[in-house]
Amino acid sequence: MTSYTIPRMHVREHTVSVPLDWERPGESISVFARELVDPTRKDEDLPCLLFLQGGPGGKGPRPTGADGWIGQALKKYRVVLLDQRGTGRSTPVSARRMASMTAEEGADYLACFRADSIVADAEHLRKTVFGGRPWSTLGQSYGGFLTLTYLSKAPEGLTACYVTGGLASIDPSAAEVYRRTYPRVAAKNQEFYRRYPHNVERVGRIADRLAESDVRLPDGDRLTVRRFQSLGIDFGMKPGFERIHWLIDEALDGDELSDTFLGQALGLSSYLGNPLFAALQESIYGSGEGATAWAAEAERARRPEFAEDARPLLFTGEMMYPWMFAEIRGLRPFQGAVELLAKRPRWPELYDLDRLAANDVPVAAAVYFDDMYVDSGLQLDTARRVGNVQAWVTNEYEHDGLGADRVFERLTELVASIGGGVSHQ
């Protein structure tokens, strides 16, 4: 076990071996977690808080100091930052590995990296490294999906759950998710152009240039209009409008697209650092009968306002499309596997509806009313149907509200309070 100290926190690193497939143990992979504790309390018997990172395909944060929610949590907990299987230092899913497999082998392999497997990994870590004592969880975004699976599969391992922007629908349907999401993305586009009206013309010029010319990114891939549109995935974060505005601000060098713009566009759309995010984006909704069937692509076809030749050009959001796995170099080795995953007719059930209805583990959830990624209506439906959930509904924050000092503090207050219901702000 490696241990060291960084500003205001002591770190211990843990690696455990787990089955690739918990249902049919054979091949093993490694799962890594980083434990943080206040250096002045490192020998105390403190409860643990497991952080469930957003995703899919999310690795734990790499903290540089005890700031934000981590600093607040260290006042009471040992904080456990899990690199979800396939990410970070947990046996990563790589393009090289995917290229070595057939499409069928790749699909079966990727299917082992969903919520049920991540929860099994967490339980193994709790029992073998942390003494088997129940712990609390903090789930951000997809971490909230993992929380509901955890409550379904192993509630005995949990003392309390905090969720930010991630109470998934317990009747998972990719088609319903995107039916609700596209109007929210369109609204974010309207807000972006209201804030920066001159970008209507600039974005149109960029799109026209991409449509007329064979514009290449630094890695040799062609930058198409639809790949440019996908940069709107950032619109759901608090500074996302500004990041895209400044990208557009330096995009044009006369009639050409600048090297600065092309380099940044590559970094924002290559998925080299998190290919699982793209590969599993729709498969996280597979539960029981029914294929996910490229739901985002199907819904986009019903919405001409998102067409590549529409003006003003609308950016898309957290949607993955089949063309990405042909056009984006780092995703091409995943293409055959994700095509088969999209057609898979049946998936293991992620949620136990009866167990969730009878849940007695305290759950406090921040529901961001204007969330672009996780529909607030679906979140509130889940809050009504899962036992012992207190939902705090607010329009003060975007999807990354956990970065604000108030959010984690508010959730701990909700769990500590007596009673339930829905709080509005």
Side-chain angles (χ1 to χ4, degrees):
M1 180 179 67
T2 301
S3 64
Y4 48 91
T5 300
I6 58 179
R8 293 184 293 142
M9 65 180 74
H10 186 71
V11 182
R12 295 188 180 99
E13 297 183 348
H14 306 281
T15 302
V16 296
S17 179
V18 299
L20 170 65
D21 187 339
W22 279 98
E23 295 298 318
R24 290 176 290 277
E27 179 183 348
S28 294
I29 60 173
S30 294
V31 168
F32 174 83
R34 191 173 275 111
E35 173 193 347
L36 313 179
V37 66
D38 183 329
T40 65
R41 307 185 70 187
K42 65 180 181 179
D43 297 320
E44 293 184 28
D45 183 22
L46 299 172
C48 288
L49 175 71
L50 172 68
F51 182 63
L52 298 171
Q53 172 68 39
K59 66 182 180 181
R62 270 50 179 169
T64 56
D67 303 314
W69 72 263
I70 290 179
Q72 295 173 30
L74 289 176
K75 296 175 183 177
K76 178 180 178 182
Y77 294 103
R78 294 181 182 274
V79 175
V80 181
L81 304 177
L82 174 68
D83 280 357
Q84 294 171 25
R85 54 167 50 206
T87 74
R89 288 177 58 186
S90 295
T91 308
V93 173
S94 67
R96 186 182 304 110
R97 173 70 188 265
M98 294 301 298
S100 72
M101 294 185 279
T102 66
E104 292 77 10
E105 290 169 340
D108 290 341
Y109 179 68
L110 291 176
C112 293
F113 291 83
R114 299 194 326 134
D116 44 1
S117 296
I118 296 169
V119 168
D121 295 343
E123 273 295 274
H124 181 73
L125 191 70
R126 181 181 69 85
K127 293 173 182 176
T128 59
V129 175
F130 294 97
R133 202 163 106 188
W135 53 16
S136 298
T137 62
L138 170 59
Q140 158 65 14
S141 188
Y142 180 60
F145 294 42
L146 299 176
T147 300
L148 293 170
T149 300
Y150 213 143
L151 290 168
S152 296
K153 306 288 185 182
E156 67 280 1
L158 302 170
T159 55
C161 298
Y162 309 102
V163 175
T164 55
L167 277 183
S169 171
I170 55 177
D171 299 314
S173 163
E176 179 63 14
V177 165
Y178 293 113
R179 187 186 70 78
R180 290 170 176 257
T181 301
Y182 272 97
R184 290 183 177 275
V185 176
K188 293 292 186 184
N189 274 273
Q190 291 166 7
E191 185 179 348
F192 174 71
Y193 285 129
R194 279 196 300 270
R195 188 175 298 185
Y196 304 111
H198 60 285
N199 280 342
V200 171
E201 187 270 338
R202 282 178 174 266
V203 169
R205 282 179 63 195
I206 294 168
D208 290 344
R209 181 68 180 168
L210 295 175
E212 295 164 358
S213 306
D214 184 359
V215 176
R216 295 286 163 168
L217 293 166
D219 68 347
D221 279 352
R222 182 177 179 183
L223 179 58
T224 58
V225 175
R226 56 192 181 184
R227 184 165 174 176
F228 174 52
Q229 286 176 281
S230 74
L231 302 185
I233 192 172
D234 206 17
F235 279 177
M237 303 295 185
K238 196 69 171 182
F241 287 159
E242 284 60 52
R243 284 193 289 258
I244 300 302
H245 166 67
W246 294 123
L247 174 72
I248 292 165
D249 183 68
E250 295 185 273
L252 293 164
D253 180 8
D255 291 331
E256 303 295 330
L257 293 171
S258 71
D259 291 340
T260 298
F261 168 76
L262 294 173
Q264 292 178 340
L266 172 63
L268 292 171
S269 63
S270 70
Y271 297 100
L272 287 174
N274 58 344
L276 274 181
F277 178 77
L280 293 181
Q281 187 63 223
E282 291 198 4
S283 295
I284 64 173
Y285 300 106
S287 185
E289 300 291 338
T292 53
W294 293 115
E297 176 82 353
E299 185 63 28
R300 181 174 180 168
R302 290 188 278 270
R303 297 184 178 273
E305 65 270 27
F306 284 92
E308 296 173 55
D309 58 356
R311 298 293 183 271
L313 185 76
L314 297 189
F315 292 91
T316 52
E318 193 177 42
M319 296 98 172
M320 299 299 148
Y321 305 103
W323 59 261
M324 289 180 163
F325 297 89
E327 290 187 11
I328 299 176
R329 182 178 302 266
L331 296 181
R332 286 173 199 150
F334 294 80
Q335 185 176 20
V338 296
E339 289 286 359
L340 291 180
L341 289 181
K343 297 174 184 176
R344 186 163 285 199
R346 178 167 179 78
W347 293 89
E349 299 277 359
L350 293 175
Y351 310 126
D352 184 325
L353 301 189
D354 292 335
R355 182 172 266 186
L356 288 173
N359 173 61
D360 60 3
V361 177
V363 179
V367 176
Y368 306 127
F369 187 75
D370 297 319
D371 200 320
M372 189 177 86
Y373 309 104
V374 186
D375 180 74
S376 58
L378 292 177
Q379 291 191 69
L380 291 176
D381 177 68
T382 295
R384 286 187 286 268
R385 296 169 61 189
V386 177
N388 216 20
V389 172
Q390 297 183 75
W392 165 39
V393 184
T394 175
N395 64 358
E396 185 178 354
Y397 305 99
E398 292 287 352
H399 189 71
D400 54 351
L402 182 58
D405 288 341
R406 176 63 177 149
V407 171
F408 181 67
E409 179 185 6
R410 173 66 170 149
L411 295 181
T412 58
E413 290 170 355
L414 283 175
V415 163
S417 70
I418 299 175
V422 176
S423 169
H424 293 269
Q425 177 174 317

